[in-house]
Amino acid sequence: MYDSITKKEFQPYAENGTAEKVNNGVITSIRGNVVDVRFAGQLPEIQNQLVVVAPGDKTESVVMEVVYHLDKTKVRCLSLTSTRGLSRGTEVADTGHPLRVPVGKSLLGRVFNVFGEPIDQQPPVVPVEWRSIYQPPVPLSQQVSSQEILHTGIKAIDLLAPLEKGGKAGMFGGAGVGKTVLIMELMQNMVAHYEGVSLFCGIGERCREAEELYREIRDSGVLDHTVLVYGQMNEPPGARFRVGKTALTMAEYFRDNERMNILLLIDNIFRFVQAGAEVSGLMGQVTSRMGYQPTLGSELADLQERICNTQNGSITSVQAVYVPADDFTDPAITHTFSHLSSFIVLSRERASHGFYPAIDLLQSGSKMLSPTVVGERHYRIVRRVKETLAYYDDLKDIIAMLGMEELSREDQQLVHRARRLERFFTQPFAVTERFTGQKGVLVSLEDALGGCEDILGDLYPEAKEQEFYMIGSLEDIRRKYQ
């Protein structure tokens, strides 16, 4: 981005057209991604962006951000790019503004990094404007609360953990339980069936996953309504820590200026916390509980509070949250919980049994799940489903030790009912079609509710349990056994 920067480009001009003196500094210390710079004149403001004045082959695209004022002449900066090739005495220039990214409808269908640079080998974008990534949250007086449900076409989510339009949903799970696959399916379903823009933010993503997601979205024909922003796993912690703000700045433009509804998918919010811990350590801050940064709560809130509804539009966020060692008492997880309106917990046990999506049917939930929001019928069915599954969970130890024959007739009937429900909540996905050979299906809320009612009412006693596995609605079973 800055491979052709010269000192002249950073000379501000007065109203009469004469050039003013540029504010340059000299690097005095480099410790990893932490760089100290001395200025002879006025110090740059906190969060201002600094760049190397005359970059060479080894220092091109070096971008730094002011974090501290050490004294009257020195500032401490965090490098958002590699510091390879920098040395003491290198001259840097104050750009006079924080990190800015492009916004506008020309971003649709493109892939960007934290600086707003296209990384999809396509022509440069022509933005409406360049906007600072440090935007204040919408004042409470201008926010709009909503009780509207956002349907996803995924049975387990729409029935047990409905998403709030303009709310924040968390997808919790350890490594390898299907968080990214579920995010990709949600993205494809929502963009294909809702008018609006889908914005994917990859924080600490693997390069392989980024390329796969781009290809999936392109092949599904929804790329023109999508923006992808990545801070990849191999980038410095400063870039990974700022990429969430880049994505939010782009999303806020579509909400406020274009009056659209935005689906913001973040994968993975734990990597944002992890990058913040790395930045905190680099800056020499004393660590807090379990090695996290002392500013964990405020940094997470600074990001989350910008996700809200206004009169113009809404930003609905679905965030994948990696749970380290499957420990839900981890400080990063407990802080994230406090910002969410829906929580989808992924179960390693269900994944091991091949029940995908591996959503924990008992632990997942939503604040929208009340009779006044979803209706009496929906609420009643969810209560019965959870009661049945919870009672079956209590019986599992008895079944393992003594066998099904020792249970009463009523308990045996309940076990068969619960096992059918477990399999009914599996669903083939479009994004896994080439691996499984099964065509992905979307299930309406009415079909999901009707299917649960039929299973709870024991309407098809002769149907085998396996017939309820990886299907959409119960239409085929109804035709077969009616």
Side-chain angles (χ1 to χ4, degrees):
M1 182 177 183
Y2 299 106
D3 55 349
S4 59
I5 286 176
T6 64
K7 188 185 299 185
K8 182 179 178 182
E9 288 181 76
F10 287 99
Q11 290 181 342
Y13 286 85
E15 291 183 3
N16 58 8
T18 60
E20 296 178 347
K21 185 178 179 181
V22 72
N23 190 19
N24 284 358
V26 176
I27 293 177
T28 61
S29 171
I30 304 169
R31 297 184 306 280
N33 291 105
V34 180
V35 182
D36 291 349
V37 183
R38 178 185 289 115
F39 285 84
Q42 181 182 0
L43 291 183
E45 296 180 7
I46 299 295
Q47 296 179 345
N48 266 19
Q49 180 182 340
L50 308 183
V51 294
V52 175
V53 170
D57 293 338
K58 293 183 179 180
T59 60
E60 64 179 59
S61 303
V62 176
V63 184
M64 294 172 279
E65 185 179 90
V66 178
V67 179
Y68 295 138
H69 285 182
L70 297 177
D71 54 38
K72 293 182 178 180
T73 61
K74 290 174 66 177
V75 297
R76 179 156 292 168
C77 305
L78 177 69
S79 177
L80 305 183
T81 56
S82 173
T83 55
R84 185 187 61 174
L86 283 185
S87 61
R88 294 172 62 185
T90 301
E91 195 173 5
V92 299
D94 174 20
T95 62
H97 57 74
L99 179 62
R100 297 190 297 190
V101 296
V103 295
K105 297 190 77 171
S106 59
L107 274 60
L108 294 173
R110 303 300 300 275
V111 188
F112 300 93
N113 61 12
V114 66
F115 305 111
E117 293 179 302
I119 54 174
D120 52 3
Q121 299 180 345
Q122 300 293 324
V125 297
V126 182
V128 173
E129 63 174 300
W130 288 77
R131 187 175 290 183
S132 168
I133 66 171
Y134 297 100
Q135 299 292 329
V138 177
L140 286 175
S141 59
Q142 298 177 22
Q143 293 187 21
V144 178
S145 59
S146 169
Q147 291 189 337
E148 187 177 346
I149 300 295
L150 205 64
H151 297 297
T152 65
I154 299 174
K155 289 179 287 190
I157 294 177
D158 289 343
L159 196 74
L160 304 174
L163 304 187
E164 176 189 7
K165 184 178 180 181
K168 296 179 277 285
M171 202 171 292
F172 296 86
V177 293
K179 295 186 299 299
T180 301
V181 170
L182 198 50
I183 282 277
M184 291 166 63
E185 182 72 11
L186 275 172
M187 192 173 187
Q188 183 163 314
N189 292 357
M190 305 286 268
V191 175
H193 295 85
Y194 283 89
E195 290 186 5
V197 171
S198 182
L199 201 151
F200 180 86
C201 176
I203 305 177
E205 276 285 277
R206 301 173 183 87
C207 299
R208 168 185 57 79
E209 291 177 345
E211 193 274 335
E212 285 179 359
L213 179 61
Y214 177 78
R215 193 153 22 89
E216 289 282 354
I217 295 171
R218 183 193 61 196
D219 294 345
S220 62
V222 297
L223 185 61
D224 291 340
H225 301 280
T226 307
V227 182
L228 297 100
V229 185
Y230 286 103
Q232 296 181 32
M233 191 176 279
N234 62 330
E235 294 185 30
R240 286 181 272 122
F241 194 47
R242 298 289 184 258
V243 71
K245 296 181 184 296
T246 296
L248 267 172
T249 303
M250 296 175 176
E252 286 167 344
Y253 169 83
F254 287 108
R255 179 193 65 192
D256 300 333
N257 296 73
E258 300 293 339
R259 297 175 177 268
M260 291 181 171
N261 296 321
I262 315 302
L263 175 66
L264 174 65
L265 300 114
I266 302 177
D267 188 8
N268 186 304
I269 203 69
F270 177 78
R271 304 295 180 199
F272 168 79
V273 175
Q274 199 173 43
E278 291 181 50
V279 169
S280 175
L282 287 170
M283 290 299 162
Q285 294 180 345
V286 178
T287 57
S288 183
R289 190 160 70 98
M290 294 182 67
Y292 287 105
Q293 64 271 39
T295 53
L296 167 60
S298 59
E299 288 170 355
L300 193 59
D302 190 41
L303 184 76
Q304 299 279 10
E305 289 305 306
R306 290 173 62 180
I307 303 171
C308 64
N309 284 353
T310 67
Q311 294 285 358
N312 298 324
S314 66
I315 299 178
T316 304
S317 176
V318 180
Q319 308 168 11
V321 187
Y322 168 70
V323 182
D326 293 338
D327 179 15
F328 282 86
T329 63
D330 188 271
I333 308 307
T334 55
H335 276 84
T336 304
F337 259 118
S338 62
H339 294 280
L340 304 176
S341 56
S342 303
F343 47 95
I344 301 160
V345 180
L346 299 180
S347 164
R348 194 173 300 280
E349 182 184 359
R350 277 182 64 83
S352 67
H353 291 144
F355 295 155
Y356 290 104
I359 296 173
D360 193 309
L361 305 175
L362 290 175
Q363 293 192 50
S364 302
S366 169
K367 76 171 189 179
M368 307 300 289
L369 204 57
S370 69
T372 55
V373 179
V374 298
E376 286 287 348
R377 179 188 176 218
H378 187 160
Y379 181 74
R380 185 181 67 250
I381 290 173
V382 171
R383 285 285 302 272
R384 288 194 62 195
V385 166
K386 290 204 169 189
E387 286 172 2
T388 303
L389 293 172
Y391 194 67
Y392 171 53
D393 201 49
D394 292 338
L395 292 175
K396 282 182 179 177
D397 290 339
I398 298 175
I399 296 171
M401 290 185 294
L402 303 177
M404 282 278 289
E405 295 77 14
E406 297 301 318
L407 298 179
S408 65
R409 184 179 297 276
E410 292 79 10
D411 285 350
Q412 288 183 21
Q413 188 61 43
L414 183 140
V415 168
H416 288 305
R417 204 177 298 147
R419 289 172 64 88
R420 286 184 173 91
L421 282 172
E422 281 188 332
R423 284 152 180 77
F424 178 64
F425 281 113
T426 61
Q427 187 171 339
F429 283 172
V431 296
T432 59
E433 189 175 327
R434 69 175 186 270
F435 302 112
T436 62
Q438 288 184 285
K439 187 174 178 60
V441 294
L442 291 178
V443 183
S444 68
L445 178 61
E446 183 58 38
D447 285 342
L449 291 170
C452 289
E453 277 185 324
D454 288 356
I455 294 171
L456 291 168
D458 299 323
L459 292 192
Y460 313 108
E462 63 274 23
K464 298 178 181 178
E465 290 176 358
Q466 199 62 23
E467 293 184 65
F468 294 86
Y469 179 71
M470 282 295 173
I471 62 172
S473 66
L474 291 185
E475 194 59 38
D476 290 340
I477 293 178
R478 288 193 186 102
R479 282 199 297 265
K480 183 176 180 180
Y481 294 104
Q482 217 159 28

